[in-house]
Structures are given as structure tokens and as C-alpha cells.
Amino acid sequence: MTVRRALFLSGTLGAGHDTLAEACAAALAPYGVESRIVDCLPMLGGGPSAVGNWVFRRLLALTPVYDGFHFSQLRGNGAVGRLMDRTAVKVMFPRLVEEVDGFRPDLLVSVFATGASAAVHLKEDRPDLATVVFMTDSFAYGMWAHEGTDLFLVTSELAAASIRSYHPDARVAVVEAPVRPGFYRAPSQADARATLGVPPDARCILIMSGAWGIGPLDDVARALADEGWWVLAVSGTNARLGARLATVARQYRSVITFGFTDRIPELMAASDVVLTSSGDTCREARAIGRRMVLLDVVPGHGRENLMHELELGDAAVCLPTPASVVGNVRRLLSDREWAPSQGATGWGEGFVDELVAAGIELRRG
């Protein structure tokens, strides 16, 4: 059966899952595939969804607790982790069935762990439905890896090995890390700076930390500005951080602030170094050709992702303190021999090729 409709199961814990789904949908569009992206959290109901979001945010703030939970229950496939998975499927499954009956997809792609198990459960009654899991984390945990999934897509051999730790015979393919098309069409540094009002000969640092704006970015912005550098500071959806950054910007004309914005390609293009937490921002920075200083602020899977980014190179790690940030930024800026280079641009072709190799038919529209 040729795929004409693809349903992506995403989740609004941060913006990364939707970003991945959007990139995949863009890659499928030339083949005449109509895509829809749905959020798994509302399928869990208003109460459980809100509680889950709140608990996740609180756990991130309690680093030792989250690390213990991640490695014992998620990575370790512990009893609590398995119970969470079963409960989520039980609650969201009727709503998923309604969504599938209304849209009638041929392809179901889970880019959020909560959707992966429900998709496999759905396939038991709909064997013709192709199911794919696309995971961009560096290491899988049990909720991602369910037997019966037609294809697992990952972005490193490390991640592939982690999937096979749960299911040795799983079909796993390694593809380029997905990046939205806008990051391949970013303006030149000179044009981006002219638009933003950053002097052409200045040193400029973009600072951000996920959609939630995790970490002391206001203190960091002040410390970077004290060094005489320009700062582009993104608070994401964190209104409190946005207010604190606005206070810093009133004190320093070299600090320019943004909330949740779609101008990230432009901001990266204007910068010399990107300060960020581990996640989709790293792939975007690599696509534009910017080195990174990585904030160690996301426990559990965030630390696994951070270590993998360091292994890939063109990145440094820092403590979430102004002194550590300034020192590492200064070190990168002092390397006069390094020159930016744009990353690979053909990830979408690899994504489509692996779908086809797994027996999922696509035809150019």
C-alpha cells in the first residue's frame, strides 16, 4: 500500500518532538503525503496530562531524583516505568483510535515515547498500518522500544545499540539528524547582524536552553555582556526568565532578548558561538555551522545526549555558572584557526530511503 497519509504522535514536553515531526512531514511532502501531528498528552486527559507535565518539570529541578528515576525505571525498564507505560496506553488508546479513524493514516510515526507503545497496540488490530519510531535521543529507554514496531529510526550507532538492548532483532536504521528546512536557508552572518543591529566586527553569543528556558540565563547574559560581547538571549516559553532577561537588556545595549521565536536560524547565523542545553538546538547549530557550549542542566537523558554531542566535536561543556560559561566561550573564541562549515543537508533523503527499504511505499506526488 502506498502511503498517502502519515500521523505523527508527538508530545509537548518541550518543543523538540514537534520540531522532529515537522521536519519529517516536510520530507514526506514531495511524495504527496498528507501529514498530521497530534499531541499525546491531551490524549491522556486534562488531569493526567497536567499532572505529568508538572511532575516532569519538578523532577528536572531535582537532579538527583530525576537521575535515579531515569536510570532505574526508564533505562532500567523498572516496574514503575513499565506501569507508567501500560497506564498511558490504557488511557490514551480510545482517543488514538478516534484520531486514526478520523484521519485514516497509512503510516503512524511515534516521535514521543508515550506514543510508541500505543501505536504497537493499535497495529494488533490493523496489521496494514505501518508503524515507525523515530528517536533522536542518544540512548533509548524501555518506553521507546516495543516489539512489533516495523522500523526504528535513530541518529547514531549508539542509539541503535540501545534499541537492540531491548529487542536484539529489531529493524533499526541510522539516519542523519533531522533539521527543519529553515536552518539550511539561514542568512549570512553579515545579513543577520545587519537585521538584528549587531555590529559586524563584534563577538556575538546566542544563549538559549530549550523551550522551557532552563538554567540561569539572565546571570549568564550579564556576565557575557561584561566581557564586551553581544548577547542574543532566548527565554522560550519561560515568562519569568523573559522578565529577568528584559531587566538585563535595559542595563546593556549589547543584550537583545527574545521569547519563544521562529527566528532561531537567523539568531544562530548572527552568532559566533551558541550556548544551549543538549537537544534539537545542537543539530540546528551544526547545520548552520556554529560551535556550542553546552549547559549541563538537563539530567537523565539530557546528560546522555550531552555526552554524545561532545563526542561529535565542535562543542564544549560547562557548569550552569557564569564563570564556567564565560571561560568556555572565551576558549572557543580564541581559536582563530577554526572556521564555520555548514552541516549535511540531505537528511530527508536518508529518512525516505529507510522507509522504502522497510517496505513502506512512497511515490512522488
Side-chain angles (χ1 to χ4, degrees):
M1 178 186 296
T2 302
V3 172
R4 293 301 181 191
R5 296 184 184 87
L7 182 65
F8 290 87
L9 301 183
S10 184
T12 52
L13 290 179
H17 304 100
D18 280 350
T19 297
L20 171 57
E22 290 164 9
C24 293
L28 291 175
Y31 296 87
V33 177
E34 179 185 357
S35 295
R36 178 181 294 179
I37 302 170
V38 297
D39 186 357
C40 290
L41 293 184
M43 292 185 187
L44 296 175
S49 174
V51 169
N53 204 317
W54 182 85
V55 168
F56 185 73
R57 287 176 182 261
R58 292 298 300 162
L59 283 175
L60 283 180
L62 301 171
T63 297
V65 176
Y66 186 85
D67 276 336
F69 174 75
H70 175 81
F71 288 104
S72 68
Q73 298 304 315
L74 299 182
R75 271 277 301 274
N77 210 22
V80 174
R82 294 196 304 272
L83 176 62
M84 288 173 56
D85 197 23
R86 292 194 302 269
T87 302
V89 171
K90 182 178 180 180
V91 173
M92 72 176 288
F93 191 74
R95 294 177 174 85
L96 176 60
V97 170
E98 290 177 5
E99 190 71 41
V100 169
D101 285 344
F103 186 56
R104 305 188 66 82
D106 312 296
L107 172 64
L108 195 59
V109 183
S110 300
V111 299
F112 187 58
T114 304
S117 181
V120 168
H121 190 51
L122 184 66
K123 188 178 174 67
E124 293 175 1
D125 296 326
R126 307 178 190 221
D128 291 337
L129 182 65
T131 56
V132 174
V133 165
F134 199 157
M135 184 194 75
T136 56
D137 285 338
S138 63
F139 209 97
Y141 49 83
M143 292 174 70
W144 279 109
H146 292 278
E147 190 172 1
T149 301
D150 293 318
L151 174 65
F152 293 91
L153 294 175
V154 296
T155 59
S156 69
E157 291 295 343
L158 172 64
S162 72
I163 292 288
R164 294 191 178 104
S165 71
Y166 297 99
H167 298 297
D169 297 325
R171 179 166 191 145
V172 188
V174 178
V175 298
E176 290 285 341
V179 176
R180 288 170 292 176
F183 288 88
Y184 299 124
R185 298 194 297 264
S188 68
Q189 187 175 75
D191 288 345
R193 290 189 173 193
T195 301
L196 293 165
V198 177
D201 58 347
R203 289 299 196 176
C204 180
I205 318 302
L206 169 62
I207 66 172
M208 56 191 297
S209 187
W212 289 351
I214 302 170
L217 294 189
D218 52 326
D219 292 335
V220 167
R222 184 177 290 106
L224 293 171
D226 281 337
E227 293 292 319
W229 301 327
W230 282 68
V231 181
L232 307 174
V234 179
S235 59
T237 59
N238 190 331
R240 291 182 178 179
L241 173 62
R244 297 197 302 271
L245 285 171
T247 298
V248 178
R250 287 192 291 269
Q251 299 168 347
Y252 299 86
R253 64 178 295 270
S254 59
V255 175
I256 306 173
T257 63
F258 303 84
F260 189 83
T261 176
D262 60 1
R263 299 178 67 183
I264 300 301
E266 178 186 8
L267 302 183
M268 285 187 176
S271 70
D272 295 301
V273 172
V274 175
L275 172 76
T276 184
S277 55
S278 58
D280 293 295
T281 307
C282 298
R283 293 188 291 274
E284 295 163 354
R286 293 185 189 281
I288 288 182
R290 295 295 181 267
R291 287 187 297 181
M292 296 169 287
V293 175
L294 301 175
L295 285 166
D296 188 4
V297 292
V298 182
H301 70 287
R303 292 216 165 105
E304 293 169 335
N305 292 339
L306 186 151
M307 288 187 287
H308 182 55
E309 291 297 335
L310 294 175
E311 181 183 41
L312 293 176
D314 286 335
V317 62
C318 69
L319 301 174
T321 64
S324 183
V325 171
V326 168
N328 279 281
V329 169
R330 183 186 294 115
R331 182 171 61 85
L332 293 189
L333 291 177
S334 67
D335 183 1
R336 302 291 182 176
E337 296 183 359
W338 182 84
S341 60
Q342 192 178 47
T345 60
W347 87 267
E349 296 174 5
F351 166 66
V352 168
D353 288 345
E354 294 299 343
L355 294 180
V356 172
I360 297 170
E361 296 183 21
L362 295 168
R363 295 177 185 171
R364 282 200 173 270

